[in-house]
Amino acid sequence: MAPTLPPSRQASYSLKDGDSFLVCDARGDIHGGDEADGLFHDGTRALSRLRLSLDGTAPTLLSAAIAQDRVVFSAHLTNRPLPPIGGSAAGQGVIHVSRSRFLWQGRLHERITCTNYDRVPVSVPLVLEFAADFRDMFEVRGMERARRGSYPQAEARGDRVVLHYDGLDGVSRRTVLAFSAAPTVLDHGMARFECRLAPRESFELYMEVGADAGEPSAARHRRAMVHARRALRARRRSGARLHGGGLLFDAWVERSRTDIALLASDLPSGRYPYAGIPWFSTPFGRDAIVTALQTLWLDPDLARGVLAYLAERQAAEDSSFRDSAPGKIMHEARKGEMAALGEVPFGLYYGGVDTTPLFVLLAGRYLRRTGDRAFIDRLWPALERAIGWIERSCDADPDGLLAYARGEASGLSNQGWKDSEDSVFHADGSLPQGPVALVEVQGYVYEALLAMAMLARGRGAHDAARAWEARAGRLRETVESRFWDPDLEFYALARDGSGRMCRVLASNPGHLLYVGLPAPERAAHVIAQLGSPRFDNGWGVRTLATDQPRYNPMSYHNGSVWPHDVALCAAGMARYGARRQATRLLGEVFEAATHFDMRLPELFCGFPRSAGEPPIAYPVACMPQAWSAGAVFMLLHACLGVEVDAVEGRILIDHPQLPPGVERLRVDALDVGGARVDLAFERVGDRVLAARAAGPDDVQVVVRL
């Protein structure tokens, strides 16, 4: 569902740890109101204002950055002229103010340092304004509520202030701001510190913001920072390593790897990548599965955590409000007051038609990648329930397809990955009536059935395996006969509830290539069209061709470029042998990344590429976004042609390609059934050579050039 808020007034910076995240401007300030900034915890904005000033005057920004490890935000500021206090006024640019902050275990830790570089003593009136509106994330996104809870009187005393909110859900929430030094003035919305600084003297203030009182100090700040950095470093180190592609390319890879580590939360079931900041910093089913698929060849542990978490939250009952049915896999989980009260269905919501087949698909690929039959055995009951829901749903459809129709108006009207209200339509631009069967979803079901057959055969259930294979074959025939449009030389986007096809050229059939459903000659037509200017804008594949109704390069789903979508299309092209086309797309997305500070956003506008101009940003895109960060790994996988089969103890490298400008690349510590293998790729003339660089000989490495 597309965000509706206006863009922030200036560049924003974000931090995340667990179920907490923070968005601020370059000065480190939080403005609140209708802005999408603040300190959020469990889906509630716990701090909606935090502004630093020098006696009411905002300091001048020198620079702002988040450290390379993505843990610590820092801003460097300086004063405008300070008013005289018992003497002459301080000149401009003589006070240096630095702010350094990070999140750890639900708390914001901040250090503020003021240093006097004037030649005379200076009085520095440091003022912090703060507020906590305790608005639910859906309110911040623009939803109106008929009523809210109450705000008990704030408590301000000594070196701390406590802000309260009693929610309609019966939960009392509070935000405590604690300081290492008692302010000169402290009330429910402001703390003032009078600092008299000699030349070269500094004043250092530590602040903590959390649900309970802390005791801020330099030592406590340092210890918490060490723990925060150590935790993120451990997540970054998981899986194989990529390097040697050159400074810029390696920077993109490392930035993407760090963003996935940042967005991943260590849950009891394992690591789980939250979707994106600010709108989707919570568990999503589809996003996490796609991110796990993107990184599976390098780091299968992430897929294991995703599968375990989703299995634990599999639906057990029918609910039209939550769009749930026994066996379905979760689309979205939210905490917060509105979800708890049922004002929105997204506390635990199942309105994603594709998440369940993608769950089964991921389980099959996880087994091939790892050979971890013990985990699949534990997951098997959930897989049976998931395929059971798929089969019952397909049996109820006149064409045997998996279709969706929301249960109530509060749910999502479209339940594929393009879930905005106008993303599915007919050739005349009209919106279809449900149930809607999306073309790519049938592809996911096709591979899910084959995955179940493979898993069942490994368990000795040969009759069940044959039945699932037969069903997959029938579905493939149905897709080929119903969705292929010979006039378009392309697959239709969807089938509506009356049986009418949505004859629209969209990127969705690229996902059909990803699972290998189309006949080769039809796949060739799809690949050619996706590579044509009507789809490819020079930065990647648009979600909709330029000559289609509802095309709008500034829209959320109807003509924009989504990096994860480009990666899936490229992986599909490579599956049909079009590895050079996939490599071209990798080059385009890489060049786009260089204009986004090596961090691909959730999406960007689909305007055609112009010489000397950067891609055009979509103003409220999430950044970082997990499946955008993961796009580089799926694109590389498509180009290198690396397939790891731990069941057979083999690595196959099929006609490898390297991105433009990358002459060599290393993949180190690739886990194959517990053995670690290093691979090396190098361009020699017009060919790319590949070989084992290190690792045991009992892992077979097969290279096809």
Side-chain angles (χ1 to χ4, degrees), residues 245-270:
L247 289 176
L248 275 179
F249 193 81
D250 285 356
W252 181 31
V253 168
E254 282 306 304
R255 182 69 176 266
S256 301
R257 187 186 192 98
T258 302
D259 277 345
I260 291 175
L262 174 73
L263 290 166
S265 290
D266 293 315
L267 305 178
S269 50

Side-chain angles (χ1 to χ4, degrees), residues 506-520:
S507 63
N508 304 54
H511 300 213
L512 209 60
L513 301 178
Y514 176 68
V515 299
L517 185 147

Side-chain angles (χ1 to χ4, degrees), residues 360-361 364 368 387 443-457 465-473 476 515-517 575:
V360 180
L361 181 159
R368 284 195 296 272
I387 205 69
Y444 303 153
V445 174
Y446 168 73
E447 184 170 332
L449 290 165
L450 293 179
M452 287 299 291
M454 181 265 292
L455 297 173
R457 189 166 282 112
R466 284 190 289 269
W468 279 317
E469 286 173 338
R471 184 156 196 153
R476 181 177 196 165
V515 299
L517 185 147
R575 180 164 185 159

Side-chain angles (χ1 to χ4, degrees), residues 591-615:
E591 290 168 359
T594 64
H595 293 284
F596 289 110
D597 195 24
M598 295 304 174
R599 171 183 268 176
L600 287 171
E602 177 187 15
L603 72 155
F604 49 90
C605 292
F607 293 105
R609 184 171 180 169
S610 297
E613 295 185 9

Side-chain angles (χ1 to χ4, degrees), residues 156-195:
R157 60 181 183 273
D159 59 1
R160 65 200 56 205
V161 62
V162 185
L163 308 175
H164 297 276
Y165 173 69
D166 292 338
L168 299 177
D169 57 353
V171 177
S172 294
R173 297 171 173 86
R174 69 179 199 161
T175 296
V176 182
L177 294 92
F179 306 98
S180 59
T184 308
V185 179
L186 178 66
D187 61 29
H188 66 278
M190 185 269 290
R192 181 184 180 95
F193 301 84
E194 298 288 352
C195 314

Side-chain angles (χ1 to χ4, degrees), residues 394-469:
C394 291
D395 289 342
D397 185 88
D399 292 316
L401 302 173
L402 184 60
Y404 65 86
R406 64 180 173 185
E408 297 184 17
S410 58
L412 295 175
S413 56
N414 282 316
Q415 298 188 357
W417 85 261
K418 297 176 182 177
D419 59 3
S420 48
E421 291 186 355
D422 63 346
S423 61
V424 181
F425 51 91
H426 285 291
D428 61 2
S430 63
L431 300 180
Q433 297 298 311
V436 173
L438 293 165
V439 63
E440 78 276 14
V441 173
Q442 315 317 311
Y444 303 153
V445 174
Y446 168 73
E447 184 170 332
L449 290 165
L450 293 179
M452 287 299 291
M454 181 265 292
L455 297 173
R457 189 166 282 112
R459 296 169 59 86
H462 297 287
D463 290 344
R466 284 190 289 269
W468 279 317
E469 286 173 338

Side-chain angles (χ1 to χ4, degrees), residues 326-561:
K328 282 188 81 173
I329 297 299
M330 178 200 89
H331 168 70
E332 177 179 357
R334 295 274 187 176
K335 299 175 182 177
E337 185 181 8
M338 293 178 70
L341 291 169
E343 294 179 24
V344 293
F346 306 114
L348 196 55
Y349 182 60
Y350 294 85
V353 70
D354 49 0
T355 311
T356 307
L358 283 170
F359 171 78
V360 180
L361 181 159
L362 177 61
R365 295 198 179 197
Y366 173 83
L367 178 64
R368 284 195 296 272
R369 172 63 184 85
T370 65
D372 186 359
R373 293 192 183 276
F375 176 70
I376 294 298
D377 286 343
R378 293 198 297 275
L379 203 66
W380 185 251
L383 292 168
E384 287 188 308
R385 290 190 292 269
I387 205 69
W389 173 78
I390 292 170
E391 291 181 303
R392 289 190 301 274
S393 301
C394 291
D395 289 342
D397 185 88
D399 292 316
L401 302 173
L402 184 60
Y404 65 86
R406 64 180 173 185
E408 297 184 17
S410 58
L412 295 175
S413 56
N414 282 316
Q415 298 188 357
W417 85 261
K418 297 176 182 177
D419 59 3
S420 48
E421 291 186 355
D422 63 346
S423 61
V424 181
F425 51 91
H426 285 291
D428 61 2
S430 63
L431 300 180
Q433 297 298 311
V436 173
L438 293 165
V439 63
E440 78 276 14
V441 173
Q442 315 317 311
Y444 303 153
V445 174
Y446 168 73
E447 184 170 332
L449 290 165
L450 293 179
M452 287 299 291
M454 181 265 292
L455 297 173
R457 189 166 282 112
R459 296 169 59 86
H462 297 287
D463 290 344
R466 284 190 289 269
W468 279 317
E469 286 173 338
R471 184 156 196 153
R474 293 193 298 273
L475 178 59
R476 181 177 196 165
E477 292 173 1
T478 300
V479 172
E480 293 283 50
S481 63
R482 294 287 279 125
F483 285 85
W484 179 254
D485 190 311
D487 294 330
L488 296 176
E489 292 189 323
F490 209 70
Y491 290 92
L493 169 61
R495 186 223 64 194
D496 74 6
S498 67
R500 183 181 167 204
M501 305 307 293
C502 297
R503 301 179 65 251
V504 172
L505 295 173
S507 63
N508 304 54
H511 300 213
L512 209 60
L513 301 178
Y514 176 68
V515 299
L517 185 147
E521 63 275 11
R522 291 180 174 178
H525 287 297
V526 173
I527 292 168
Q529 295 228 45
L530 291 176
S532 70
R534 68 203 309 198
F535 272 110
D536 189 343
N537 76 334
W539 302 112
V541 176
R542 297 182 181 94
T543 52
L544 189 68
T546 55
D547 54 356
Q548 299 300 288
R550 294 187 178 270
Y551 169 74
N552 177 355
M554 300 175 290
S555 69
Y556 197 55
H557 285 128
N558 291 333
S560 52
V561 176

